[in-house]
Amino acid sequence: MESIAEGLRGTADPLGVHKGFAAVGCAHRFVRMSACRICGGNLTEYVDFGRQPLSDAFVKPDQTENEFFFRLAVAMCEACTMVQLVEEVPRDRMFHHDYPYQSSGSSVMRKHFELVAHRFLDSELTSDDPFIVEIGSNDGIMLKAVSDAGIKHLGVEPSGAVGEMARSKGVRVRTAFFEESTATEIAESEGHADVIYAANTICHIPYLDSIFRGVDALLKPGGVFVFEDPYFGDIVEKTSFDQIYDEHFYLFTARSVRAMAQRFGFDLVDVERLPVHGGEVRYSISRQGERTPTAAVAALLAEEDERRLAEPATVEAFGASVRKIRDDLVALLTKLKEEGRTVAAYGATAKSATVANYCGLGPELVSYVSDTTPAKQHRLTPGSHIPVYPPEVFRENYPEYALLFAWNHADEIMANEQGFRDAGGKWILYVPEVRVV
Ligand code: SAH
Ligand code: TYD
Ligand code: ZN
């Protein structure tokens, strides 16, 4: 497979070929890692979610025979503490022209990214020739505000359809995977960037050595690389195990990100905890010696030490909490079925692939999923084959219970669907524990 870093011991696994899946060359197989993808250290495996599909591969009802599966399990590096998946899905299987996730599906996220843009415009994009590059710009949710401000920008986004949506908003997009070669080309053709930004994308990228070399090639002296991703500290605290799926290859902590940055000639100079998507951290990285780390970095590192976040016992305890949630959720849904209750789900999230496939949910327990994304509607959820319908279906005939797969958007969804509650409907939540509200 083309993206394996030099010197790593990842091996294409000939046994990793599943039902209905044609193994016609290395790029079509997943890769099982025996060593840390960042530093080559030993990996210890902790939580095994079993056979899982591609989380965003919503299937046409007549195409359920061709699904791709891999083994989803989480390991931690004994040397650098990076938490990572043990199998790597080839990137083109996940991110392609029809990748369905649209960032602008949440008004809370639209507001969040407008604030991000304005923060960069106010404090980082003040040079004579400001330029910002976004990795994984999706439908242009963040760069639209930069474009509207008339500032030079470029999104690098491999998924074609969402890239087109961004272009229709006036955002410049290069349809490509960001990596060292892309970054070098951009530096040559467009000049160097003051800011390189990525949200919910760096944790998707196993080949971070190439990303850091690319950032080094593209960033101006004194420039900053900022990325925000789900925080392992929140995942453990809330047992939000559904943040673990094919696309989320890494689960970052301040400690593991700092070790990684230093390994590649950079330093972690700021951190900020964010409430979005159930808890994230925004990391600011600059070349070693260029910026002084803030007190927030030391404080978060100290908090992680105090919580023993990167210790085996903590990750083992997380595994036990995950199994309890699975058992409680299956027990609740089975009981509701036996009582003849109607149960649907809300939000055909990528996260829900892990919940549905790990818990063995299917249309007999959850009759359908309501979702606003056109590219997911009238398809089946990956692996679990629950039909996805537009919210009108939900509103025309409310179920008695709705399993909130998009729990990270709970406030927004519950406010929009007040009619469901008014009609006596109850929400089922499973993070941080299974409960009916
Ligand atoms: N930034 C958006 C989108 C996150 S989804 C948000 O926070 O909502 C992750 C995005 O990263 C997808 O659109 C995917 O196509 C893109 N992506 C995956 N690998 C990438 C790479 N190597 N370079 C650039 N984008 C990538
Ligand atoms: P999200 O939790 O943002 O991400 P992921 O797929 O990475 O887990 O996905 C939210 C999903 O929920 C997305 O498919 C859009 C859908 N959605 C609704 O149907 N209605 C809503 O009001 C909101 C906010 C989201
Ligand atoms: Zn490591």
Side-chain angles (χ1 to χ4, degrees):
M1 131 153 225
E2 74 285 3
S3 62
I4 289 293
E6 282 169 27
L8 289 181
R9 284 173 278 147
T11 49
D13 178 5
L15 298 177
V17 180
H18 293 279
K19 177 173 161 276
F21 169 57
V24 289
C26 206
H28 290 270
R29 296 181 188 156
F30 58 74
V31 174
R32 179 163 298 159
M33 307 310 296
S34 54
C36 173
R37 198 68 168 81
I38 302 294
C39 80
N42 278 333
L43 290 181
T44 307
E45 189 178 313
Y46 290 95
V47 196
D48 184 357
F49 295 95
R51 184 174 177 267
Q52 291 280 338
L54 302 175
S55 60
D56 265 309
F58 291 83
V59 276
K60 291 186 181 151
D62 60 352
Q63 288 181 356
T64 52
E65 291 305 305
N66 297 322
E67 286 186 277
F68 175 88
F69 291 91
F70 71 108
R71 189 171 75 92
L72 179 68
V74 175
M76 186 166 66
C77 174
E78 292 165 17
C80 76
T81 76
M82 183 65 82
V83 180
Q84 57 202 277
L85 302 189
V86 300
E87 285 180 9
E88 179 182 337
V89 173
R91 62 187 190 180
D92 316 274
R93 283 204 166 262
M94 298 184 280
F95 311 115
H96 44 72
H97 182 271
D98 298 322
Y99 177 69
Y101 182 73
Q102 293 176 24
S103 304
S104 297
S106 153
S107 61
V108 170
M109 293 314 298
R110 290 199 296 273
K111 184 81 203 150
H112 171 81
F113 286 116
E114 245 169 61
L115 290 174
V116 171
H118 284 287
R119 212 167 101 168
F120 288 141
L121 291 167
D122 292 346
S123 58
E124 296 284 354
L125 296 168
T126 51
S127 68
D128 290 342
D129 181 24
F131 179 32
I132 177 168
V133 173
E134 184 178 5
I135 307 173
S137 47
N138 199 271
D139 61 7
I141 189 168
M142 194 285 285
L143 284 180
K144 184 186 182 306
V146 177
S147 168
D148 289 349
I151 296 294
K152 183 172 164 188
H153 63 275
L154 183 67
V156 184
E157 171 54 68
S159 300
V162 289
E164 272 311 311
M165 290 176 198
R167 286 190 192 100
S168 74
K169 297 171 186 165
V171 172
R172 290 184 64 231
V173 182
R174 177 185 282 236
T175 303
F177 285 95
F178 188 92
E179 57 191 334
E180 187 179 9
S181 59
T182 326
T184 308
E185 281 168 34
I186 295 169
E188 279 165 9
S189 58
E190 309 247 1
H192 291 83
D194 302 70
V195 175
I196 300 175
Y197 173 71
N200 306 299
T201 299
I202 296 304
C203 75
H204 292 53
I205 304 180
Y207 41 100
L208 288 181
D209 51 338
S210 174
I211 298 298
F212 272 92
R213 286 196 300 270
V215 167
D216 197 26
L218 183 55
L219 206 56
K220 279 184 191 168
V224 67
F225 174 33
V226 179
F227 58 91
E228 55 194 68
D229 285 291
Y231 178 48
F232 188 60
D234 284 301
I235 293 170
V236 167
E237 192 183 318
K238 303 186 172 86
T239 320
S240 45
F241 66 96
D242 55 352
Q243 287 289 10
I244 302 167
Y245 54 92
D246 54 351
E247 295 170 20
H248 286 181
F249 188 81
Y250 293 109
L251 306 171
F252 294 138
T253 61
R255 170 175 292 272
S256 62
V257 167
R258 186 178 66 160
M260 169 172 75
Q262 290 176 347
R263 185 174 184 85
F264 298 125
F266 288 79
D267 207 356
L268 176 61
V269 294
D270 197 21
V271 288
E272 191 184 341
R273 291 189 75 161
L274 307 170
V276 296
H277 290 310
E280 303 207 322
V281 170
R282 179 178 294 151
Y283 305 93
S284 298
I285 310 273
S286 62
R287 288 192 190 86
Q288 262 161 23
E290 286 188 348
R291 295 188 186 200
T292 307
T294 61
V297 175
L300 191 56
L301 289 168
E303 187 184 318
E304 290 178 358
D305 280 351
E306 204 168 302
R307 290 181 59 189
R308 301 177 183 274
L309 196 53
E311 290 190 16
T314 305
V315 193
E316 275 164 18
F318 167 70
S321 305
V322 171
R323 289 187 285 276
K324 177 168 173 24
I325 289 184
R326 176 193 59 190
D327 295 346
D328 290 352
L329 184 59
V330 171
L332 173 64
L333 294 172
T334 307
K335 177 173 134 306
L336 293 175
K337 182 188 162 69
E338 283 165 5
E339 290 172 356
R341 304 290 187 185
T342 51
V343 181
Y346 207 101
T349 56
K351 292 183 286 293
S352 66
T354 298
V355 180
N357 289 280
Y358 179 59
C359 300
L361 311 184
E364 38 340 296
L365 289 179
V366 177
S367 50
Y368 67 92
V369 191
S370 167
D371 195 284
T372 49
T373 315
K376 298 180 183 178
Q377 293 164 355
H378 307 292
R379 295 193 174 220
L380 305 177
T381 57
S384 51
H385 300 167
I386 304 169
V388 182
Y389 295 135
E392 292 70 35
V393 171
F394 180 76
R395 289 172 198 150
E396 273 158 24
N397 184 15
Y398 289 126
E400 291 169 282
Y401 292 84
L403 175 61
L404 188 54
F405 279 147
W407 55 266
N408 47 311
H409 301 296
D411 291 346
E412 181 176 348
I413 290 174
M414 288 183 184
N416 287 342
E417 299 293 356
Q418 185 56 41
F420 170 59
R421 230 203 258 283
D422 293 345
K426 293 195 170 72
W427 293 101
I428 301 172
L429 292 156
Y430 51 86
V431 168
E433 68 210 340
V434 176
R435 63 199 194 284
V436 176
V437 295

